[in-house]
Amino acid sequence: MASASPQVSRTVSRIAASFLAAVILVYLGLIGLGQWLPDEYDDFGRLAQDGWRAVAERLQWSPRPLSESIFYGYGWLVNHSHRPLIVPFLGLLWAGFLGAGLLTYWQGRHNQDRPDGQRKTIAPDLLAGLALMASFLAGGEVREVFYWPAGAVAYLPTLSATLLLFLQVARGRLVTPAGRRLCSFCLLAAACSSEVGATLALSYAAIQALLWAIGAIQKKGHDVSRTPFLWWTIPGVMAFLVLFAVRMNRFQAVERPVSYLSGTLGHPLSSLTAGLGELLLEAFGVKVHTHAGLAVSGRFASEILLAIGVALCWSRFGRLSRAVVWQTVAVAAALLLASWLTIAGAELHFGAVCCQQHEVIRRCWMLMGLAGIAIVTLNSAAAERLRLRSFLILAPILLCAGIIVAWHTKPVFRQYRIYPAVYRVMDQNFRSGFNPGDPQMIFLLPPSRGLIYGEQIAPGVYTRSSPSAAYPQYILIFFGKERVVVRSAR
């Protein structure tokens, strides 16, 4: 492998990049099947009725300045156009995701300091960015982060921001003011998008504060005021304020699911202990909540292959400076720490691990954390003595293998086969709901299974006065109807 010709290396890299890009495009093509869940009908119905008061109440419950602003801007457009606008809305969020994975490569594509011959082949940061994005999509359930508007608006910006942060830090951008500003923006975007993003931003700020304190001690009283710190301090303060607001408001409410038999409910130390064990289970692909089964085949093997592949790609940039090594360790540690704390927080609040969207974010964070550890390990003197970098040709192969091991293609292509039918269901529901002069509407149920599925209601007739679950009432209020007939789309 070490003696592979430059032509062979270029060919393998181009094939790998094409495969990884194709995986991403396959999932991108499914945004037309994005589904609303009860949240959209409820929140947008309240927005139409109560205006800014509904927004203020929502921000008190969910203090996410960035994502909630985008979400209610989307709701305003929906209420005025009487169209779901799922494709343009998800397309905008996906554009941010793709930009986050490619921006680091784009910044350096004209740099003259790239290794010899690198400009003639696929750049390592391009391969790594494509592989990470493809793994996020192909590694498990993705509906609530990538195809559910109310979930995507919070968690896709969180994921995009942390992906860009990881790539920027590992590429050594923190040595420049522009790089620090961009990383600060990433941390702020994560903190203002979701509670898990705020957890990551606060974890990262805490680790940076520790490194800053160590540096101050080592200088033994010398002036350290010139050491940049506002770029991580400001996002850390914002993250603290977001989590404090959650603690004072939402954390006081009882939400589903709650396990009253759990020994962790309301007990911080027990939650932290349980969270550590569950984090390890998730890393090895074992599901810790019942609705998703017991295990994900090949997940741990996929993570190892991808982490080594990313590290081999990164080794083409040459030896990392001591500062870049420590900053890469810091971002990897923050990603793993935040993953642990999000599980502990769920145990504390619910008594159990909760929410598909949190699991997806943790899966992605753990992969980036492992990749960061692998980058630093391959940069060590021991790796130099073992001549591990002589196997650079393996990098694109390992990246593709990591995707293939974990990717289940049947659900994806099965989704494409029912694409026209599912798309027509949403369109028909909106046409019936906004049919003027008719107090009754027909609501067709979306598929209950598959990669992208919708919330289910028992078929039947519902009115505003009849006792029923909340979902039919949300639909009636949103469309302004008195009666809804729920039917199967088959």
Side-chain angles (χ1 to χ4, degrees), residues 62-68 153-155 157-158 161 188-195 197-198:
S62 180
R64 305 166 176 175
L66 176 62
S67 58
E68 293 297 331
V153 75
Y155 296 101
T158 298
L188 278 171
C192 295
S193 294
S194 67
E195 292 82 3

Side-chain angles (χ1 to χ4, degrees), residues 115 118 171 313-321 378-379 384 389:
Q118 184 175 300
R171 191 63 184 92
C313 281
W314 233 251
S315 67
R316 289 174 56 189
F317 291 119
R319 288 298 298 270
L320 303 178
S321 68
L378 206 61
N379 189 71
E384 186 76 24
R389 293 179 189 162

Side-chain angles (χ1 to χ4, degrees), residues 413-426:
F413 294 105
R414 189 183 300 122
Q415 204 74 42
Y416 269 100
R417 287 198 294 270
I418 63 173
Y419 207 120
V422 176
Y423 189 84
R424 283 195 297 269
V425 165
M426 193 71 171

Side-chain angles (χ1 to χ4, degrees), residues 105-156:
Y105 154 71
W106 186 264
Q107 289 175 327
R109 66 192 182 97
H110 296 308
N111 284 0
Q112 298 301 314
D113 59 348
R114 286 189 177 274
D116 292 340
Q118 184 175 300
R119 280 168 285 168
K120 297 180 181 179
T121 187
I122 302 297
D125 40 6
L126 174 60
L127 265 179
L130 290 172
L132 289 171
M133 288 189 290
S135 67
F136 298 166
L137 293 162
E141 297 183 47
V142 292
R143 178 193 68 153
E144 295 190 5
V145 172
F146 291 94
Y147 302 106
W148 172 33
V153 75
Y155 296 101
L156 198 45

Side-chain angles (χ1 to χ4, degrees), residues 191-215:
C192 295
S193 294
S194 67
E195 292 82 3
V196 294
T199 303
L200 183 279
L202 190 58
S203 299
Y204 186 75
I207 291 173
Q208 286 291 343
L210 178 61
L211 293 178
W212 188 87
I214 292 173

Side-chain angles (χ1 to χ4, degrees), residues 263-420:
T264 63
L265 185 64
H267 295 85
L269 291 179
S270 298
S271 298
L272 287 169
T273 303
L276 186 59
E278 287 158 356
L279 179 68
L280 294 174
L281 290 176
E282 282 196 13
F284 282 94
V286 178
K287 299 286 186 177
V288 294
H289 39 91
T290 56
H291 75 276
L294 295 177
V296 176
S297 176
R299 171 170 167 177
F300 185 66
S302 173
E303 290 171 344
I304 296 301
L305 291 170
L306 286 162
I308 296 174
V310 169
L312 283 172
C313 281
W314 233 251
S315 67
R316 289 174 56 189
F317 291 119
R319 288 298 298 270
L320 303 178
S321 68
R322 185 172 181 270
V324 174
V325 168
W326 275 107
Q327 288 295 343
T328 304
V329 170
V331 75
L335 289 163
L336 297 176
L337 175 61
S339 298
W340 174 30
L341 292 177
T342 57
I343 296 177
E347 288 284 0
L348 182 65
H349 187 39
F350 301 112
V353 181
C354 170
C355 308
Q356 181 193 116
Q357 58 268 39
H358 288 190
E359 182 189 335
V360 171
I361 296 297
R362 286 196 299 270
R363 170 169 57 82
C364 300
W365 284 355
M366 283 190 278
L367 174 57
M368 287 189 283
L370 290 175
I373 293 170
I375 288 172
V376 171
T377 302
L378 206 61
N379 189 71
S380 65
E384 186 76 24
R385 288 193 296 269
L386 293 174
R387 301 182 63 189
L388 295 180
R389 293 179 189 162
S390 63
F391 296 92
L392 294 181
I393 186 64
L394 287 176
I397 298 172
L398 292 175
L399 294 176
C400 293
I403 301 299
I404 294 170
V405 164
W407 191 21
H408 300 283
T409 58
K410 286 185 178 180
V412 179
F413 294 105
R414 189 183 300 122
Q415 204 74 42
Y416 269 100
R417 287 198 294 270
I418 63 173
Y419 207 120

